[in-house]
Amino acid sequence: MAAYFSNHSTQARFPSAVPAGQSPTIPAQSNARPRAASSRHFSTSLSGSGEEQPKPAHTTVAADADDASGDVHPLRSTWVSWFRQQRAPGNKIVNYEEGIKKIAAFSSVESFWSLWTHLEPPSSLVPTTDLLLFHSGVRRPVWEDPLNIAGGKWIVRLKKGVADRIWEDIVLGIIGDQFHAHDSAGAEERSWEDDWPEICGVTLSVRASEDILSVWNRTDGDMKLRESLRDMIKDILKLPSATIMEYKSNNDSMQDKSSFRNSAVDRTASLS
């Protein structure tokens, strides 16, 4: 399992990333990747064998656009998929937000798989690309968003070649309510009165020498909650207890204008 992580790994589990010079493709492709709808991650279960016709992922679709006919299995929340690519040479992007593009929103198991089967996996993308999935209550997937600003993110640095499995598992875990127990446990201590979850979203940053997974949460100051989320991330991703993780508040990111620099390394792994 040590081979998953860029800070102490020696061997990749998956094939190497796309060769240099190949262009990344975020929009939908004509040939969807075959994918079975694994219901073990969801709070609802699939009872039928029928599959709906996939929809293109490069246009913004309504969350319930493909839920008009047949049996559907609603998710607890609506989620929105985004992506961001680094600017090309000579094409100046003034700020981070200008590069973020919304792909689609979904609120059911069926609409999720209609989107997911048309998205390129991380291994098909070249640096620098960010894949983002956020709760619909987040207006823009940035530090300053009202739902994000008081929170932070757990960071896992991955060796190149393993992000496909990691990205799929964490996305399924988040939309499938694997973190819901933490939302219920901390509800009495919260200062807000809404039903939005503690997990705001998740990003995968495809870089030249590593891929960086970030799970964004809403509350930075609650250490007990943060540690509980850390343990749940390890459990969902089946990470070894010695996995090195980092945490950084969004306030710190706003101060130093960086998502990953000066993050706090979690020392509990070395004590396990």
Side-chain angles (χ1 to χ4, degrees), residues 47-161:
S47 57
S49 59
E51 294 184 359
E52 298 188 16
Q53 201 66 21
K55 289 184 169 55
H58 67 285
T59 55
T60 301
V61 297
D64 298 313
D66 62 343
D67 297 345
S69 62
D71 294 334
V72 298
H73 302 81
L75 303 174
R76 185 180 299 275
S77 302
T78 297
W79 299 89
V80 182
S81 178
W82 310 74
F83 79 96
R84 179 183 185 274
Q85 285 184 297
Q86 184 76 311
R87 65 180 179 85
N91 180 21
K92 184 177 182 181
I93 292 179
V94 176
N95 58 50
Y96 181 88
E97 283 195 64
E98 290 190 11
I100 301 173
K101 305 299 180 184
K102 181 177 179 179
I103 301 175
F106 57 88
S107 60
S108 70
V109 175
E110 289 77 12
S111 57
F112 165 72
W113 285 111
S114 293
L115 167 65
W116 191 256
T117 55
H118 280 73
L119 295 178
E120 290 294 322
S123 60
S124 297
L125 308 176
V126 298
T128 302
T129 304
D130 294 332
L131 301 176
L132 309 94
L133 181 79
F134 277 81
H135 189 274
S136 60
V138 176
R139 300 169 190 170
R140 294 288 287 172
V142 295
W143 308 318
E144 298 86 354
D145 185 89
L147 238 61
N148 295 335
I149 194 168
K153 53 196 166 293
W154 277 109
I155 300 166
V156 186
R157 298 178 183 270
L158 304 170
K159 185 178 178 69
K160 296 298 290 186

Side-chain angles (χ1 to χ4, degrees), residues 141-219:
V142 295
W143 308 318
E144 298 86 354
D145 185 89
L147 238 61
N148 295 335
I149 194 168
K153 53 196 166 293
W154 277 109
I155 300 166
V156 186
R157 298 178 183 270
L158 304 170
K159 185 178 178 69
K160 296 298 290 186
V162 303
D164 287 9
R165 195 276 292 179
I166 295 289
W167 178 240
E168 180 169 285
D169 282 357
I170 195 65
V171 167
L172 292 175
I174 289 174
I175 70 173
D177 282 347
Q178 299 299 299
F179 290 91
H180 182 65
H182 298 281
D183 298 334
S184 302
E188 295 181 358
E189 301 177 4
R190 291 177 172 175
S191 58
W192 55 81
E193 298 178 357
D194 58 56
D195 294 327
W196 289 331
E198 173 64 22
I199 296 296
C200 300
V202 60
T203 67
L204 184 71
S205 303
V206 178
R207 299 296 184 260
S209 59
E210 63 182 358
D211 298 322
I212 307 173
L213 181 75
S214 303
V215 180
W216 295 45
N217 73 302
R218 198 172 172 186
T219 310

